[in-house]
Amino acid sequence: MGVQTEPVRIGIVGAGNRGQNHAARYDGIPGAEVVAVADIDEPKAQALAEECGAESYAAHGAMLDAAALDAVNVCVHATLHADIAVDALEAGAAVFCEKPMADDYAAAKRIADAADRTGNPLAVQNQLLYTKETLAAKSLADAGALGEVYHATAARSPGLAFTGEGWPEETPLGARRRGTPYVDGYGSPAFLDEEAAGGGVVLDLGSYTVGQLLYLLGAAKSARGGPVSDPPRADGPPASHPQSLDLPEVERVRAETFRTVPDRFEEGTEYQRRIEETDYDVEDVAVAFATLADGSVLSVRASWSRYMEGESSALVGTRGGVRLDPFEYYATVGDVEMTASADLEEYLFRQQYLRGERGEAAYDAGLWADPLYHWVADLLGHREAPPTADIALESMVLLDGIYRSADLGREVSRDEITRPDGSEE
C-alpha cells in the first residue's frame, strides 16, 4: 500500500463509545473522511453512519467487501481486535486499532504478522506517546542527558482523554485512587467482564504506561548507539518521533494482580449495586517487575482504584533522571545536585511551530495530542507517528506476562509468553 492522497477514506468498526468518539475526532482532522460504519448492532451503526454521512453495515466483512476504503479503525472490545484487524489488512486497508492491541500476545502477533505479510500500515492507539511530557522526556533521552537508563517506572502519567465531541481533556492515567469503569460512573459493564474485555486494568491502563515507558527506554537505548531518526524534511526539522526505534525486549516478568473494589463498598450503595450488576471477574490492581534483555528493569503499577497517592512514571539513568508527573529533571551540574522544572507548553509550542504551517495549525487546533491526527498524517506521507505497532506488540509481551505470572505464582520468561502453542512447559 503506497502513500495515500487526500482524503483518506476510513471505515469504523464498532459504533459504541469508542467508535462515536473517533468519528467525532475525525471530523476535525484534515484529510480524514469517515465513509463507512460497521456494527452488529445495526441501529447503532446506522445512527453513527448518518451522523458522518457514511454507509452502514451489519458486519465488518460486508463493509470490507462493499466499501471503497483506504483505512479501517477498529473500535471494539480487545477480544475481537485480531480477527477484524487481520481481515482488514488482508483486504488491503491500513489499520488503526484501539488499545490494547489484543487480549493476549498471540492475538497481537497475528495482527502484526498480517501487517508484515500484506505490507499494509498498522497503528495502535496510545495517547501517552503524544503528550508534551513524553516528547520532552524523549528529547532528554535523545540528547544523552539520561545516560544509560537502568530503571524505569510505568505508574502514572498525565494523558489526554477525548470527549465524545472530540475535544481533549487532561486526565491522570495509571495508578489512581478512584476510576473503576462503570462502578465509578463511566464506561459500560463490559469493562468488568473478562470474556468481553479480555482483562482488567492491566489491558486498560497498563497498555498506556507500559507502551510509553518502553518507547522512552528505546529512545535512551538508541541514543547510546547513535540517534535513530528520520532524514531532514523539506517542510521542517526531523520528525520528533523516529520511525526506527531500538525497543528493549522484555525478558522476564514477575507480577501479582488483585481484585479489591468489590470489598470497598457497603451493601445498599449505588456502587455495590453496580458491582452486583456485573460479573466483576477482572483485576483492578496490578504490580509487576520486568527484566529487559539489555539489563534494565521496568516496574509497573496499574490500578483503577487503590488507597495510595499516585506514583509518577519515571526513568533513571547514569547521567540523569526524569519524572513525568510533575515533570522534573534530576542531574549533577558542576558538582551541584540539580532539580530542574520545564516550561513544557513553550517547548510544545516551539516544536510545533518549527514544523511550519502544518505544525502551527495542529497546535492551534489542539490536534498535536491526538493519535488519530498523527495516523492520518502518516498515511498522507508526513511521517508524524512513532512505530506504535512495534511498541504495542512488545507491550503485549509484558502485559500477557503479568497475567501468566500472577496465574502461575512465579516469574515467567519471554519464551513462555511468546511460544506459538501457548504452552507453559
Side-chain angles (χ1 to χ4, degrees):
M1 179 177 177
V3 170
Q4 299 299 297
T5 57
E6 295 188 28
V8 176
R9 300 181 301 276
I10 300 166
I12 295 176
V13 180
N17 176 274
R18 290 298 85 195
Q20 295 167 27
N21 177 288
H22 287 209
R25 287 153 59 188
Y26 282 126
D27 193 47
I29 295 174
E33 181 183 1
V34 176
V35 298
V37 178
D39 198 305
I40 58 173
D41 186 333
E42 292 186 62
K44 273 190 177 180
Q46 291 167 356
L48 183 57
E50 187 173 330
E51 287 180 23
C52 300
E55 295 295 320
S56 68
Y57 299 88
H60 75 277
M63 182 184 78
L64 294 173
D65 288 341
L69 301 175
D70 299 312
V72 169
N73 192 161
V74 180
C75 293
V76 294
H77 294 307
T79 52
L80 304 174
H81 285 182
D83 287 345
I84 295 170
V86 169
D87 286 348
L89 289 163
E90 291 183 341
V95 167
F96 183 95
C97 186
E98 253 293 352
K99 62 83 189 170
M101 189 171 184
D103 55 329
D104 61 21
Y105 174 80
K109 187 67 163 57
R110 280 183 58 210
I111 302 173
D113 287 347
D116 290 342
R117 184 171 64 252
T118 62
N120 292 318
L122 170 65
V124 181
Q125 145 77 354
N126 189 338
Q127 65 202 51
L128 288 186
L129 301 183
Y130 303 92
T131 66
K132 51 186 180 287
E133 289 82 5
T134 301
L135 298 179
K138 182 181 178 298
S139 289
L140 291 173
D142 286 343
L146 303 180
E148 184 174 349
V149 175
Y150 55 86
H151 181 213
T153 302
R156 176 183 175 180
S157 300
L160 289 156
F162 292 83
T163 66
E165 291 73 37
W167 297 105
E169 292 183 351
E170 191 160 312
T171 183
L173 297 170
R176 54 189 181 182
R177 289 274 295 270
R178 293 289 287 269
T180 304
Y182 188 64
V183 173
D184 282 321
Y186 78 97
S188 70
F191 270 97
L192 308 176
D193 180 354
E194 184 175 7
E195 185 176 354
V201 71
V202 170
L203 295 181
D204 181 31
L205 298 184
S207 59
Y208 284 126
T209 55
V210 167
Q212 177 193 37
L213 269 295
L214 287 176
Y215 175 54
L216 292 174
L217 283 164
K221 186 178 178 184
S222 297
R224 296 201 303 273
V228 180
S229 61
D230 290 332
R233 300 178 303 166
D235 62 341
S240 60
H241 292 292
Q243 295 295 316
S244 297
L245 191 69
D246 193 6
L247 278 174
E249 286 194 345
V250 175
E251 192 172 78
R252 303 189 304 276
V253 180
R254 179 68 180 102
E256 293 292 349
T257 61
F258 306 89
R259 191 175 302 133
T260 68
V261 169
D263 295 330
R264 285 183 70 154
F265 303 108
E266 300 293 330
E267 290 292 335
T269 64
E270 175 64 15
Y271 301 109
Q272 190 61 238
R273 186 189 68 76
R274 285 173 174 250
I275 290 169
E276 291 171 357
E277 280 184 7
T278 71
D279 289 331
Y280 210 108
D281 56 356
V282 298
E283 81 290 346
D284 47 53
V285 175
V287 180
F289 186 85
T291 301
L292 308 181
D294 64 1
S296 61
V297 294
L298 176 59
S299 305
V300 181
R301 308 285 186 272
S303 64
W304 282 328
S305 189
R306 179 171 175 247
Y307 285 125
M308 182 56 61
E309 287 301 313
E311 302 169 75
S312 176
S313 291
L315 296 102
V316 184
T318 54
R319 295 187 61 188
V322 61
R323 181 172 66 173
L324 299 182
D325 184 21
F327 190 92
E328 290 182 326
Y329 173 62
Y330 311 98
T332 300
V333 181
D335 204 32
V336 178
E337 302 306 316
M338 303 293 292
T339 300
S341 58
D343 187 340
L344 296 187
E345 194 60 37
E346 187 278 337
Y347 166 78
L348 179 64
F349 172 86
R350 178 164 31 85
Q351 290 294 308
Q352 292 293 315
Y353 272 64
L354 282 171
R355 294 174 177 278
E357 291 184 9
R358 286 189 64 258
E360 292 179 34
Y363 181 87
D364 292 342
L367 291 173
W368 53 268
D370 195 340
L372 297 179
Y373 164 76
H374 293 279
W375 177 54
V376 171
D378 234 28
L379 295 179
L380 293 172
H382 302 303
R383 296 178 64 78
E384 294 282 352
T388 57
D390 294 341
I391 295 167
L393 183 61
E394 192 59 36
S395 297
M396 285 304 309
V397 178
L398 205 163
L399 302 178
D400 196 340
I402 290 175
Y403 289 121
R404 289 171 182 261
S405 175
D407 184 52
L408 295 171
R410 61 168 174 82
E411 184 177 77
V412 294
S413 69
R414 181 184 187 88
D415 185 58
E416 288 179 272
I417 300 164
T418 63
R419 190 176 292 132
D421 63 5
S423 64
E424 296 170 5
E425 297 297 331

